[in-house]
Amino acid sequence: PSLGKTKKREDYLEWPEYFMAVAFLSAQRSKDPSSQVGACIVNQENKIVGIGYNGMPNGCNDDLLPWSRSADDRLDTKYPYVCHAELNAIMNKNSADVKDCTMYVALFPCNECAKLIIQAGLKEVVYLSDKYHDTPEMTASRRLLSMAKIECRQFKPKRTEIVIDFSSINCSGMLNCATK
């Protein structure tokens, strides 16, 4: 017997959407002008155990380091200095380890991050974009992840955006805030 006529919401976020959204929200912390990437590590109980985004190492003044993608001297680019989201998510873990966990990440991991993912014992990588697929770094990454038997799958979103509306908390379920 039904206890009333109110039904649960049908448009709630499913777990994969939620975790990828957390990765994307985390990416908003990045100060990188050209690329904002986030990562979210989840255990088998769907609990988040680590979050990271790309940025300069702790204690290193990011006003004194370069953010450029290209320069005559590689030392004047961001690449020798920046920590990727995957590294930060693993280092920022809030559990003993991340063995057998899943990482949700905006971009397919580079070869350096693949090594960290393997050594940390992650079992799966869920990525949204593979836009650098043909670079040597990504080819090496796929080889390593495949050899380590880490499942990689592309996230196929059911929606193109998730809007976070801070004012919605002040609306009751019966009252449509849009009319105000």
Side-chain angles (χ1 to χ4, degrees):
S2 175
L3 300 173
K5 292 187 172 82
T6 305
K7 290 190 168 57
K8 70 178 182 184
R9 284 177 59 224
E10 296 294 333
D11 62 339
Y12 62 90
L13 292 180
E14 293 175 12
W15 285 119
E17 293 177 297
Y18 174 68
F19 298 133
M20 190 60 79
V22 168
F24 269 72
L25 183 63
S26 167
Q28 295 300 304
R29 286 277 311 141
S30 175
K31 296 176 187 173
D32 189 325
S34 56
S35 183
Q36 301 85 44
V37 180
C40 176
I41 301 173
V42 181
N43 69 16
Q44 280 129 321
E45 290 84 51
N46 283 329
K47 292 192 170 50
I48 295 172
V49 296
I51 295 176
Y53 55 89
N54 59 313
M56 297 302 177
N58 293 338
C60 297
N61 186 334
D62 54 29
D63 291 322
L64 303 178
L65 291 168
W67 288 104
S68 305
R69 287 173 62 105
S70 59
D72 292 337
D73 185 346
R74 187 163 163 82
L75 290 175
D76 293 328
T77 71
K78 64 183 177 176
Y79 299 109
Y81 310 105
V82 77
C83 295
H84 285 179
E86 298 94 326
L87 176 150
N88 282 328
I90 291 167
M91 296 304 294
N92 294 341
K93 68 184 187 292
N94 59 14
S95 66
D97 62 46
V98 291
K99 189 169 167 44
D100 296 327
C101 288
T102 297
M103 178 179 284
Y104 287 80
V105 63
L107 284 175
F108 191 90
C110 73
N111 61 310
E112 291 298 319
C113 291
K115 291 185 266 185
L116 293 167
I117 287 164
I118 292 164
Q119 296 302 78
L122 290 155
K123 70 164 172 55
E124 184 180 31
V125 174
V126 180
Y127 61 94
L128 187 75
S129 171
D130 192 13
K131 65 180 177 180
Y132 301 114
H133 184 275
D134 295 326
T135 63
E137 291 79 10
M138 298 306 159
T139 300
S141 177
R142 283 193 303 278
R143 279 184 196 164
L144 289 168
L145 293 167
S146 172
M147 289 173 88
K149 295 180 175 44
I150 294 171
E151 188 184 338
C152 297
R153 59 186 171 87
Q154 190 162 25
F155 176 71
K156 304 287 188 196
K158 293 183 175 172
R159 52 185 104 197
T160 55
E161 67 175 11
I162 294 167
V163 177
I164 298 171
D165 176 4
F166 288 126
S167 66
S168 66
I169 199 70
N170 293 318
C171 305
S172 75
M174 307 278 289
L175 178 71
N176 183 356
C177 269
T179 60
K180 286 193 168 183

